[in-house]
Amino acid sequence: AQTVTQSQPEMSVQEAETVTLSCTYDTSESDYYLFWYKQPPSRQMILVIRQEAYKQQNATENRFSVNFQKAAKSFSLKISDSQLGDAAMYFCAYRPGGVNFGNEKLTFGTGTRLTIIP
Amino acid sequence: DTGVSQDPRHKITKRGQNVTFRCDPISEHNRLYWYRQTLGQGPEFLTYFQNEAQLEKSRLLSDRFSAERPKGSFSTLEIQRTEQGDSAMYLCASSPQPGALSPLHFGNGTRLTVT
């Protein structure tokens, strides 16, 4: 079974600085997708960024970028120029590739609570 | 597009009672998912629907749990004979089509407390 591990329960960063959140995963699959989701307090979870395992290039979305190390099974999220609105729980998630039965569900890590210090 | 709506936001019930939650997905989203999130954990998959068909159920979904999506629009999740271990946030999500490139849109969740 696939597992996702986030070893940093809490992180904090000064506003405008850069922070990196860690995620490792375990899978025997070669085709899969990795995601970072953000869950602000009392608000719905939203997708931050997605990485396809077959792509060597790291995904970027504005101030958010990932460092995807497939051999090491590592998938970290870098947030640049941190803003107060970035304060949230961040979840790393894994999904198998393909359209086979059982491939539709996401496996989430336990999350990292990010605090932005003004 | 008003987003995924879940009702109620909070539910407090006594052990042994039955509860039902409702999820209204984004209009025309074919896929609907239920996840459960306990304190300090990430969401765990429970079940998902393609239109009205329930395609997969997690082993977490005991026989006390049942989910329906009768007309392929809204969905209900019922828990019978609630136990304290059922206390959690129940999240609903929808997507317009299958596949990892179709992002999930989550609702705000229903927080269940079993006393």
Side-chain angles (χ1 to χ4, degrees):
Chain A
Q2 296 89 5
T3 58
V4 177
T5 302
Q6 293 180 251
S7 59
Q8 305 156 315
E10 297 183 355
M11 291 281 286
S12 61
V13 63
Q14 207 82 26
E15 193 176 2
E17 297 296 308
T18 295
V19 64
T20 298
L21 309 184
S22 302
C23 172
T24 58
Y25 59 95
D26 188 25
T27 183
S28 58
E29 305 285 337
S30 59
D31 180 20
Y32 53 87
Y33 300 82
L34 297 164
F35 306 83
W36 280 98
Y37 278 85
K38 169 185 178 182
Q39 188 176 40
S42 301
R43 294 178 60 186
Q44 63 260 61
M45 194 173 305
I46 58 173
L47 177 65
V48 174
I49 198 165
R50 176 184 65 221
Q51 175 78 43
E52 293 91 323
Y54 61 84
K55 290 188 177 179
Q56 292 185 337
Q57 187 172 8
N58 290 324
T60 62
E61 288 286 345
N62 301 314
R63 297 181 296 107
F64 298 87
S65 62
V66 299
N67 183 4
F68 173 49
Q69 301 290 326
K70 191 171 184 179
K73 295 181 181 175
S74 170
F75 182 62
S76 60
L77 174 70
K78 185 172 82 171
I79 306 174
S80 304
D81 185 27
S82 298
Q83 301 175 0
L84 294 178
D86 295 333
M89 281 290 288
Y90 285 81
F91 292 97
C92 179
Y94 167 98
R95 180 195 182 278
V99 293
N100 296 327
F101 180 79
N103 282 1
E104 281 294 324
K105 57 177 178 263
L106 292 172
T107 300
F108 286 86
T110 52
T112 296
R113 183 175 303 280
L114 179 64
T115 301
I116 311 296
I117 303 167
Chain B
D1 180 354
T2 57
V4 177
S5 176
Q6 292 188 246
D7 184 67
R9 291 292 302 273
H10 303 275
K11 177 70 177 179
I12 299 174
T13 191
K14 292 185 177 180
R15 188 177 54 188
Q17 298 294 306
N18 299 344
V19 294
T20 300
F21 311 140
R22 176 178 171 127
C23 171
D24 287 87
I26 294 172
S27 179
E28 297 181 355
H29 276 197
N30 296 324
R31 289 284 174 120
L32 186 147
Y33 305 79
W34 286 99
Y35 283 80
R36 181 173 70 185
Q37 185 176 15
T38 54
L39 205 60
Q41 300 295 318
E44 296 172 293
F45 171 81
L46 293 179
T47 188
Y48 81 91
F49 293 82
Q50 169 74 27
N51 297 316
E52 66 276 7
Q54 188 174 19
L55 296 186
E56 188 177 354
K57 291 173 59 174
S58 164
R59 280 172 286 184
L60 292 174
L61 220 63
S62 75
D63 55 5
R64 296 186 297 106
F65 288 71
S66 63
E68 294 182 342
R69 194 182 183 196
K71 297 182 180 179
S73 56
F74 72 93
S75 175
T76 58
L77 178 67
E78 181 183 16
I79 309 174
Q80 297 182 327
R81 305 181 302 281
T82 53
E83 301 172 356
Q84 287 189 323
D86 298 331
S87 296
M89 176 76 84
Y90 290 83
L91 297 171
C92 178
S94 68
S95 69
Q97 57 194 15
L101 298 182
S102 182
L104 296 187
H105 298 257
F106 282 87
N108 283 316
T110 293
R111 182 170 296 282
L112 173 66
T113 301
V114 182
T115 62

